[in-house]
Amino acid sequence: MNEMNDPGAGLSRRSLLKAVGTSVGTIAMLPVLSDEGVLAFEALQRTKAAPKLKALTPAQYATVDALTEAIIPTDAHSPGARAARVADYIDLLLSESDAALQAAWTSGLAALDAAAVAAHKVPFVKLQAAQVEALLTAISANEAQPTTPVEQFFRSAKDATIRGYYTSEIGIQQDLQYKGNQYLPEFVGCLTEDGKDCPHCGQKAQAKA
C-alpha cells in the first residue's frame, strides 16, 4: 500500500465518474455476498482491521484498491472507495464466487496492468492521477459494448465498485446520507450523477462545470 501513488488525487468524484461514463443504472449481475460475507465486510469497516485476503494476492489487492479509489475517489462530500473498504468487499465477493469469475478477475487485472504499461510504462498502481484518468477514459470508451479484455474487466470492476461502495456504511450514510437501515438490498442510484435532483438521498443536481 505504501508503494502506491494516489491515482485519485486532484480529481473530483463527479468529474472522474463523468470521465469514465458511469451510469449507476448499468450495474451488471454480480454475485451477492452471503450473510457471513456481509458480516465480515461490516466488521472490517467497523474495526478498521488490516485486510485479511481470501481471494486476491497482496499485489492484486493493491491494484483493486487503487482502481476502486480512482472510480469513486474521496471528495468534499464524502470519503471514497478506499475508506469504504471496497477492495475488501471485492475480495470477499471473489472468495464466494466460482472459479470462472475468479479467473476473469485475475486475467482482467493483468490486462489492466498491461494497458497501463503500454500507455505509460508503469503498472496501474504506479500511475499518476492524470495518467489514471486518461487510461480509464480510454478503456471505458466502449463501456456499453466492451470488446477487449481490459474494457470488459473495467465494466465488471466498476459495477463491483459501485455495489461495494453503496453497501458500505460510508456509501450509505455519508454519501447518500441515508438515515434508515444499515443495509441496502438493492441500490437504486443517486440521480445527481445524471444531472437531476435525487429523491432518494435528497441531494440537488449541481451545475455543470
Side-chain angles (χ1 to χ4, degrees):
M1 296 288 289
N2 292 334
E3 67 181 10
M4 291 167 47
N5 293 328
D6 186 357
L11 300 175
S12 72
R13 179 179 308 165
R14 188 170 301 277
S15 66
L16 189 45
L17 287 175
K18 181 180 179 181
V20 300
T22 291
S23 171
V24 293
T26 63
I27 294 178
M29 293 301 294
L30 290 170
V32 177
L33 275 181
S34 66
D35 290 345
E36 291 77 12
V38 170
L39 290 174
F41 184 46
E42 185 278 328
L44 283 167
Q45 297 170 75
R46 173 170 43 80
T47 64
K48 303 184 187 304
K52 297 179 180 178
L53 300 181
K54 296 178 178 296
L56 298 170
T57 67
Q60 290 172 334
Y61 176 88
T63 301
V64 171
D65 189 49
L67 175 59
T68 57
E69 178 66 12
I71 293 171
I72 305 182
T74 295
D75 65 9
H77 179 66
S78 57
R82 179 169 294 143
R85 305 296 295 264
V86 172
D88 296 273
Y89 171 89
I90 291 173
D91 179 66
L92 288 166
L93 191 70
L94 291 174
S95 74
E96 297 181 352
S97 301
D98 58 27
L101 184 59
Q102 293 177 4
W105 273 74
T106 296
S107 61
L109 287 167
L112 181 66
D113 266 342
V117 170
H120 304 290
K121 303 187 185 309
V122 293
F124 188 81
V125 295
K126 298 289 186 181
L127 294 178
Q128 299 299 316
Q131 294 171 327
V132 169
E133 183 171 12
L135 181 62
L136 297 192
T137 298
I139 66 177
S140 64
N142 298 317
E143 189 176 352
Q145 293 182 314
T147 55
T148 68
V150 71
E151 289 176 346
Q152 293 167 349
F153 170 69
F154 174 77
R155 178 169 168 170
S156 179
K158 191 193 76 175
D159 293 348
T161 299
I162 293 170
R163 179 179 294 185
Y165 187 75
Y166 289 107
T167 301
S168 73
E169 180 180 359
I170 285 175
I172 295 171
Q173 296 188 347
Q174 296 189 43
D175 192 71
L176 293 181
Q177 300 181 355
Y178 185 68
K179 304 303 181 184
N181 296 331
Q182 300 289 313
Y183 174 72
L184 287 177
E186 180 182 6
F187 174 60
V188 295
C190 176
L191 297 185
T192 60
E193 299 297 344
D194 294 324
K196 303 174 183 177
D197 293 342
C198 183
H200 308 301
C201 68
Q203 296 184 78
K204 300 295 183 181
Q206 296 185 11
K208 295 182 179 179

